[in-house]
Amino acid sequence: MQIPLFEIKNVISQKSGKKILEIKNFEVHRGTVYTISGAPCSGKTALLKLMSREMKYNSGDIRFDGQNTKKLSKKELLDNIAIVPQETKPPRGTVKSYIEKTIGKYSHGKKYVEKRLKNITTKMEIEKLLDIKMKSLTPGQFRWVILAAQIAADTKILIIDEIEQHLSSDSMNILLRILYRKSNYDGVTIIVSTLNPEMLKKTTSVFVTMNNGRISSVRSSTKKRPQKSRGRKQSAKTEKKTK
C-alpha cells in the first residue's frame, strides 16, 4: 500500500485562544480529486492553508509523503504543491512572463518552461492575453491566468481555494476537463474547496464536508473512473507525452 501524500492526525490549530481547526484523521492520496465543501467559515480555507504551511498548528502530526512536515523546510514542501488562493495581488509583468516565472520556480519545471507555457496557453485559450500586463486584467481573466500558471507547474499536488470564483459556466467546464485529465492521466492530486460541490460530482473522487473547523463527513464517489497512472516521473520521457 502506498504511503499517503498527506496524513493529518489529531491536529488542533488555534488563534488568539480560539480553536480554528480540529482534524482527527485525514489522508490525501495520489492521483485523487478531493472536493472540500461546507458553509462559509466552516474551515475549508483553513484546512488548505494547513496543508500548504500557511497556517500553524498547536498539536498533532502532519506528514507529507511519510515525513513530518516540521522536519521539512517550507521550500521543500512547496516545491511539490501549486496553490491557487482566493486572493492574490496582481504581480508586475505580462501574462506570459508570469506563467514562465511560475513554472520555473519549481525544481522539476525549469527545463520545460516553454513547452508547458505553450501547452497550457492552448488548453486554456489564453493566446490573446500573453502580452497583456497582469495588472490590466479583469478579475475573471486574472483568475483564469492564475489557474493556468499553477496547472502548468505540474506539481504533485494542486490546491484551488473556491474553485468557482470569477468563472463562467463555460470556463468551469473547460477547467474541470483539464483537472480530470491531470488527475487520471498525469497522476496529480487535486484538492479544491467550493460552496457548490454538486457541480464537481463528475470530477471528484472524494467529497469532504467541513463544519465548525472539523471534518463532518468523507465519502467516495461511486462513479467509475479511468485507471490512474502508477506514479509521476519528472523526466524528459514524461514531458514528451501529450497531456
Side-chain angles (χ1 to χ4, degrees):
M1 183 180 292
Q2 284 188 330
I3 297 173
L5 271 179
F6 266 110
E7 294 177 274
I8 304 175
K9 292 185 178 181
N10 300 316
V11 166
I12 293 176
S13 179
Q14 295 179 322
K15 185 176 181 181
S16 301
K18 182 181 178 180
K19 191 180 292 184
I20 305 299
L21 283 176
E22 184 175 0
I23 308 298
K24 296 294 185 182
N25 187 19
F26 181 54
E27 294 183 352
V28 172
H29 295 271
R30 292 167 174 79
T32 303
V33 180
Y34 293 83
T35 290
I36 301 172
S37 63
C41 301
S42 59
K44 302 184 298 295
T45 297
L47 180 58
L48 299 183
K49 287 184 175 182
L50 186 73
M51 288 187 278
S52 60
R53 281 271 283 270
E54 289 185 56
M55 192 172 82
K56 296 180 180 180
Y57 59 100
N58 303 83
S59 62
D61 185 56
I62 301 178
R63 294 181 179 273
F64 175 77
D65 213 4
Q67 288 185 279
N68 190 306
T69 55
K70 290 185 176 180
K71 295 182 180 179
L72 293 171
S73 68
K74 191 171 183 178
K75 182 178 180 180
E76 287 177 304
L77 180 64
L78 294 186
D79 194 44
N80 296 286
I81 305 173
I83 305 165
V84 181
Q86 285 192 40
E87 297 181 5
T88 306
K89 291 182 180 180
R92 295 180 180 179
T94 64
V95 168
K96 183 178 183 228
S97 65
Y98 169 74
I99 296 176
E100 288 175 335
K101 185 176 180 180
T102 299
I103 297 170
K105 77 177 184 179
Y106 295 96
S107 62
H108 58 269
K110 294 177 181 178
K111 294 181 181 179
Y112 310 108
V113 172
E114 292 306 314
K115 182 178 179 64
R116 292 182 183 175
L117 171 65
K118 184 177 180 180
N119 193 345
I120 201 65
T121 296
T122 301
K123 285 183 177 180
M124 297 186 72
E125 302 174 2
I126 55 174
E127 293 92 342
K128 294 181 180 180
L129 298 180
L130 291 179
D131 294 326
I132 297 177
K133 292 187 180 298
M134 290 291 288
K135 292 184 178 181
S136 299
L137 298 174
T138 67
Q141 289 174 329
F142 182 71
R143 180 71 172 181
W144 196 241
V145 169
I146 299 295
L147 285 162
Q150 301 302 334
I151 291 169
D154 201 35
T155 51
K156 288 183 179 180
I157 299 175
L158 172 63
I159 292 176
I160 305 174
D161 196 5
E162 197 173 319
I163 188 171
E164 67 268 39
Q165 187 182 62
H166 298 308
L167 299 185
S168 66
S169 58
D170 287 341
S171 294
M172 275 298 297
N173 288 334
I174 293 172
L175 176 61
L176 292 180
R177 285 198 297 270
I178 292 172
L179 296 183
Y180 184 87
R181 189 169 185 86
K182 291 297 290 182
S183 170
N184 285 280
Y185 296 95
D186 296 348
V188 175
T189 297
I190 299 169
I191 310 169
V192 307
S193 73
T194 182
L195 292 170
N196 305 289
E198 276 298 308
M199 68 176 164
L200 300 165
K201 62 184 179 181
K202 293 183 179 179
T203 308
T204 300
S205 311
V206 179
F207 289 94
V208 180
T209 304
M210 299 288 297
N211 185 26
N212 293 322
R214 296 179 175 89
I215 294 176
S216 58
S217 72
V218 178
R219 61 184 179 88
S220 298
S221 172
T222 56
K223 63 185 176 59
K224 294 182 180 180
R225 299 175 64 83
Q227 184 177 358
K228 297 183 177 69
S229 60
R230 293 185 178 180
R232 291 178 47 70
K233 296 180 180 179
Q234 299 295 343
S235 65
K237 184 177 180 180
T238 302
E239 287 294 326
K240 291 178 182 178
K241 295 181 181 178
T242 303
K243 295 185 177 180

